[in-house]
Amino acid sequence: MDGFPSTATQRLPADAAGLERAAALLAAGRLVALPTETVYGLGADATDPAAVAGIYAAKARPSFNPLIAHLPTLDAAMAEGVFDAHARKLAKRFWPGPLTLVVPAAPGGTVCELARAGLDSVALRVPGHGIARDLLARVGRPVAAPSANRSGRVSPTSADHVLADLDGRIAAVLDGGDCPVGVESSVVACLGGPPRLLRPGGATREAIAAVLGFSPETDDDPGSRPVGPGLLASHYAPRAAVRLDVTQIAPGEAALLFGAFRPEGLAQARAVETLSEAGDAEEAAARLFSALRRLDASGAAVIAVAPIPDAGLGEAINDRLRRAAAPR
């Protein structure tokens, strides 16, 4: 277990020396936050139960919630899981990229049982961020990396966000700048039968359907023991309460806007953030978690969110907002 370092968390540059230091820390069982195209991940050696336990401790995360194991290549990922025809199609189309596949664990797989939350399946991803893949190649083993924040809180899209949540609780953060996608990966389960979309994310439902030839089933109720990451009902939450599909702002609320729509009472808002003036879902996704953090910092007790269309990445944005608004 990482056993929270007594000194401040190191901020490592994303150069050769920083990558070597980050890889050495991970190989030694320490926790290192790393950039991906979606959000920053809190990395640990996925083959080492003690290192993985450090993730759960640092995040205060329930250990029944499985972790994504990150690999540098498709071949490396396929050594860890059993890929049916659907999973192979999706992996070849989206990897490297913002898609996680939940597949049966391979008999010779090395991802430890704790990272899999005791399940016979494993969540795998080859990230689209070149710095992440470079680090993973240097480590030479799967790296478990859930979002680098306290469990249930707003996900980090910059090294500053990581340090705001985890400074002193992890060994280092590899600073690769801002994450370009800004919402977590889509999660698709290929466990026999038709694929199921467990979590919408950076790979849109429409893009996934184009590969499969049909739209995947949606798993709206993962039950008390999720088979994939990011499926808890309350998740991605700021400290403030979140109110959705708002057409009127109450005095003192913070407002999160999208496109040209302006709710009534906006002048009474304590703080205002607009995800995309142009109504662009990609721009909105990239700004979502940063905007939530800024509104939370305003001290408002409630963040009121204007309606956001469900098309494209809007589905992933609304999924995160519904979980942020869920009872805690």
Side-chain angles (χ1 to χ4, degrees):
M1 191 178 200
D2 194 72
F4 306 152
S6 57
T7 57
T9 297
Q10 300 174 55
R11 185 194 291 258
L12 301 175
D15 57 16
L19 285 161
E20 284 297 329
R21 175 63 176 156
L25 287 167
L26 287 167
R30 305 295 297 279
L31 304 184
V32 177
L34 61 144
T36 78
E37 76 278 21
T38 56
V39 300
Y40 272 72
L42 180 54
D45 179 353
T47 71
D48 180 354
V52 171
I55 291 178
Y56 289 114
K59 285 177 63 71
R61 180 188 178 104
S63 59
F64 60 78
N65 200 0
L67 305 178
I68 300 171
H70 293 69
L71 289 304
T73 66
L74 172 59
D75 286 345
M78 293 184 74
E80 296 294 334
V82 178
F83 287 62
D84 64 13
H86 295 309
R88 287 174 181 269
K89 282 183 181 180
L90 291 169
K92 288 177 180 178
R93 164 61 181 84
F94 289 104
W95 284 352
L99 177 72
T100 293
L101 292 173
V102 178
V103 297
T110 62
V111 176
C112 71
E113 187 175 20
L114 183 59
R116 294 187 282 109
L119 300 171
D120 293 331
S121 57
V122 63
L124 301 170
R125 183 161 93 92
V126 178
H129 202 295
I131 293 170
R133 291 199 309 280
D134 193 345
L135 176 61
L136 294 168
R138 290 170 191 254
V139 174
R141 64 196 74 166
V143 171
S147 58
N149 56 284
R150 301 288 186 98
S151 184
R153 295 297 183 184
V154 178
S155 298
T157 54
S158 72
D160 286 343
H161 293 166
V162 174
L163 292 170
D165 259 12
L166 298 177
D167 191 14
R169 298 175 71 88
I170 65 175
V173 55
L174 185 64
D175 190 346
D178 292 343
C179 301
V181 174
V183 292
E184 293 81 1
S185 60
S186 301
V187 180
V188 175
C190 295
L191 297 169
R196 291 177 292 144
L197 180 62
L198 303 183
R199 179 181 75 182
T204 66
R205 178 187 293 274
E206 293 86 347
I208 293 168
V211 174
L212 295 174
F214 56 89
S215 184
E217 297 179 2
T218 301
D219 194 340
D220 291 324
D221 182 14
S224 60
R225 195 172 186 219
V227 298
L231 304 183
L232 297 180
S234 177
H235 210 55
Y236 315 109
R239 291 175 178 81
V242 176
R243 196 162 67 88
L244 303 178
D245 297 321
V246 168
T247 58
Q248 182 161 358
I249 305 296
E253 290 184 327
L256 185 63
L257 309 181
F258 178 83
F261 176 74
R262 294 295 178 266
E264 294 181 21
L266 188 60
Q268 306 175 91
R270 185 180 185 117
V272 178
E273 290 280 342
T274 302
L275 293 176
S276 172
E277 293 278 0
D280 183 294
E282 288 190 13
E283 180 184 15
R287 298 193 61 199
L288 175 63
F289 290 134
S290 291
L292 283 174
R293 284 175 179 267
R294 287 191 294 270
L295 293 177
D296 212 20
S298 74
V302 176
I303 297 173
V305 183
I308 299 172
D310 242 358
L313 278 176
E315 183 181 15
I317 294 169
N318 284 321
D319 171 81
R320 303 311 186 271
L321 289 170
R322 281 191 294 271
R323 295 180 195 275
R328 304 172 193 175

